[in-house]
């Protein structure tokens, strides 16, 4: 069912746009070079859809892994400042070195994401981190880094236009090169996260119980941090900082799979792209004749749901 839903949204992503294509004709437009819509679908909408699939899976799995690692149900790559770290690194590289994209952008994003991931975890208390301390550390870094990105954009007129749409979060500039650049990083990140599912299940019982079950807590945490860095850094480099996908999808998926990460992570990889691509399609529909960037749509949809989760969490704890 999840795979069928994802396939449906992917077809809609290639069918909806300035030029409407009936869903039943998408495959024909995708494979027949003589079709009138071949160039539109193959060169524009297919890379955009593939990037949405990769970025959605990356953010969904990273969010679920982060919530399990920190034992914080409100953990999210955006809320904890990891996406902001990637954005700050790219803004710095753009201002200082004239970075205009390519593989260099991915590496800078990974560096920024890694620094902030380690920083939030350390400031939050490391192994003794509490959800409240992690949330406060992430919120503080998130605010500071986005203020820095805004300052860089204002002071660097040449890079302003290049960064303006990217900082909102968008799939509109996707091309085959972008997909191929981020694919290895996201693929490795997904594999590492899926391999860490069983140790993360054991860590939920505490370090002593996890060691008794054969898990190595330090190795498991290092692997999860590596996976989160790869997934968030690559997704942010390609699409810009997109919020709420990594927060909301794990909560929705838990209602289907329960807390077992061996099921939760694969389902997040399938259903998070549904939210991201669905938001992208919605942005094209409501923003006609132009479009609204996907980062705006996920923020509008995710904001009320986030408040609902906060209230539910507070009620549960009280």
């Amino acid at each position: 069912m999840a795979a069928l839903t994802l396939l449906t949204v992917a077809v809609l992503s290639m069918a909806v746009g300035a030029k409407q294509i009936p869903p039943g004709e998408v495959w024909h437009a995708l494979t027949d070079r003589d079709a009138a819509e071949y160039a539109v679908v193959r060169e524009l909408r297919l890379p955009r859809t593939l990037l949405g699939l990769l970025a959605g899976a990356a953010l969904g799995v990273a969010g679920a892994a982060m919530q399990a690692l920190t034992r914080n149900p409100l953990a999210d790559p955006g809320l904890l400042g990891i996406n902001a770290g990637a954005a700050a690194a790219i803004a710095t590289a753009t201002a200082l070195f004239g970075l205009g994209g390519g593989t260099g952008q991915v590496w800078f994003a990974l560096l920024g994401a890694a620094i902030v991931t380690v920083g939030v975890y350390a400031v939050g208390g490391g192994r003794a981190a509490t959800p409240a301390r992690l949330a406060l550390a992430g919120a503080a870094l998130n605010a500071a880094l986005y203020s820095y990105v805004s300052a860089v954009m204002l002071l660097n007129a040449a890079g302003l236009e290049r960064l303006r749409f990217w900082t909102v979060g968008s799939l509109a500039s996707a091309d085959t090169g972008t997909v191929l650049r981020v694919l290895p990083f996201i693929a490795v990140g997904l594999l590492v996260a899926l391999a860490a599912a069983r140790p993360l299940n054991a860590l939920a019982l505490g370090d002593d119980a996890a060691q008794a079950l054969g898990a190595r807590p330090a190795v498991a945490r290092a692997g999860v941090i590596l996976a989160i860095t790869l997934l968030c850094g690559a997704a942010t480099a390609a699409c810009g900082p997109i919020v709420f996908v990594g927060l909301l999808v794990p909560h929705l998926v838990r209602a289907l799979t329960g807390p077992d990460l061996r099921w939760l992570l694969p389902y997040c990889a399938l259903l998070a792209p549904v939210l991201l691509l669905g938001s992208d399609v919605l942005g094209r529909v409501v923003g006609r004749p132009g479009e609204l960037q996907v980062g705006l749509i996920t923020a509008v949809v995710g904001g009320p749901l986030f408040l609902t989760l906060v209230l539910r969490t507070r009620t549960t704890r009280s």
Side-chain angles (χ1 to χ4, degrees):
M1 188 65 180
L4 181 60
T5 303
L6 180 58
L7 177 62
T8 301
V9 175
V11 171
L12 287 175
S13 177
M14 289 187 282
V16 175
K19 181 179 178 61
Q20 297 284 66
I21 301 173
E25 297 181 13
V26 168
W27 179 253
H28 175 69
L30 188 62
T31 57
D32 186 357
R33 290 180 176 272
D34 296 326
E37 300 86 2
Y38 177 84
V40 172
V41 174
R42 192 64 178 264
E43 297 177 14
L44 298 177
R45 295 185 188 172
L46 178 60
R48 184 171 184 161
T49 301
L50 292 176
L51 184 59
L53 293 172
L54 289 173
L59 294 173
V61 170
M66 187 176 296
Q67 290 171 13
L69 178 66
T70 62
R71 301 178 192 175
N72 183 355
L74 301 180
D76 169 78
L79 297 176
L80 292 186
I82 296 172
N83 290 348
I90 291 176
T92 301
T94 301
L96 296 181
F97 310 118
L99 184 70
T103 305
Q105 181 166 300
V106 179
W107 285 111
F108 274 103
L110 291 174
L111 177 62
I115 292 173
V116 174
T117 300
V118 174
V120 169
Y121 193 65
V123 173
R127 292 176 60 180
T130 64
R133 290 184 65 180
L134 287 170
L136 288 172
L141 283 173
N142 193 58
L145 290 170
Y146 275 128
S147 298
Y148 168 76
V149 171
S150 298
V152 170
M153 290 173 61
L154 291 174
L155 294 174
N156 182 26
L160 176 61
E161 187 65 25
R162 203 161 50 237
L163 287 172
R164 185 162 60 92
F165 286 108
W166 179 85
T167 54
V168 176
S170 174
L171 299 175
S173 61
D175 56 28
T176 303
T178 303
V179 173
L180 293 177
R181 280 192 292 271
V182 301
L183 175 60
F185 298 99
I186 292 178
V188 172
L190 290 175
L191 290 175
V192 173
L194 293 173
R198 188 183 295 274
L200 274 177
N201 281 337
L203 283 177
L205 303 174
D207 284 10
D208 293 338
Q211 288 178 334
L213 293 172
R216 292 186 289 177
V219 174
R221 289 191 179 92
V224 173
I225 291 173
L226 172 63
I228 291 170
T229 300
L230 290 172
L231 295 172
C232 295
T236 304
C239 309
I242 296 176
V243 297
F244 290 119
V245 174
L247 170 67
L248 297 175
V249 172
H251 287 279
L252 298 175
V253 171
R254 282 191 193 94
L256 300 174
T257 66
D260 190 342
L261 289 161
R262 292 173 297 176
W263 291 98
L264 179 65
L265 294 181
Y267 270 87
C268 283
L270 287 175
L271 293 178
V274 172
L275 175 59
L276 187 60
L277 283 177
S279 298
D280 188 43
V281 172
L282 181 61
R284 297 181 225 172
V285 172
V286 301
R288 286 178 177 172
E291 66 177 72
L292 294 177
Q293 306 304 317
V294 66
L296 297 175
I297 301 297
T298 58
V300 170
V301 173
L305 293 176
F306 173 67
L307 292 176
T308 302
L309 287 174
V310 171
L311 293 174
R312 182 178 299 176
T313 302
R314 186 177 299 174
T315 302
T316 302
R317 289 181 179 176
S318 61

